[in-house]
Amino acid sequence: MTPADAAEVLALCAAFDLRTIGEADARAWAYALRDLPLDDDTRRAVADHYGVTEKRATPADVRRIRARIREARIGAAHPVYDGNPTETGAEFAERRRAQLAAAADGHLPARSITQALDAAPPAAIRALTAGVGRPVDDEPRPYITPEQRVAIRSTLPNQRAALPALAVACPVETCRAAPRRLCKRGAGVELRSNVHGRRRDAHAVQFATCPECGAGPGQHCTAPEPHPARIRATSVENDEAEQHRLARLMSAPPVPRENRARHTSGGLHR
């Protein structure tokens, strides 16, 4: 920047802060800004300074704001240097500096990182991927509606008194009862006469073979939820097991009662 250029910058500052300028001022500013040209970025730096403050601008203010303006252009352009395998380190540094200078001068358009890296897939690839998968509207519908589920559950044999489903953990998020532990509802109240429906379903999947789809114990049904026939099969098996247990208890002779000594406050009596 020459003294004449600095005088023009000072005249622009004087239009804002009404300062008086002379030859010495122009020479001092020219020496402080000797490596900067008088261009639109320098003029914009002066205008941006007085757009946010009433303080007088200094050469340091002009230099700082001008650098910020140019750095913003570089950040918006995302310049990517592809490089040249045959170039030297000095050639790389020179070409990279020229690229950054072009971006700072506004010769490179603003673009996203994806555009700068040319990371967008080709049109042919996008055409192929468009046919992969299926729209959300084509998702399979539930096996049964919630209303049908409630109706089916109400007709299933009720064996909740024996609670065979306690053999598995409860999958309900708000319960998560461990095996052999009672289910719980709100406020930690235990369900002593029944279990959660999803726990009964898990028990059927774990121990019963589905009569409808043939899924074996430990295998899920072909439907999103266990088939009602599988739950019924589990209930029938529990009915038979309970009947056999009661039959064994009824057929077994009573165990003779032993006479034991009774301890009282008055001593030992036989």
Side-chain angles (χ1 to χ4, degrees), residues 233-246:
T234 307
S235 302
V236 171
E237 293 175 1
N238 293 328
D239 282 342
E240 295 178 352
E242 184 68 12
Q243 292 176 2
H244 289 317
R245 187 181 70 85
L246 293 176

Side-chain angles (χ1 to χ4, degrees), residues 70-71 73-75 77-81 92-108:
R70 296 174 66 81
E71 288 173 357
R73 291 200 193 102
I74 296 175
H78 295 103
V80 177
Y81 184 66
F92 162 77
E94 181 180 357
R95 293 170 181 171
R96 179 59 174 169
R97 280 196 296 267
Q99 184 187 41
L100 294 177
D105 291 338
H107 299 320
L108 295 182

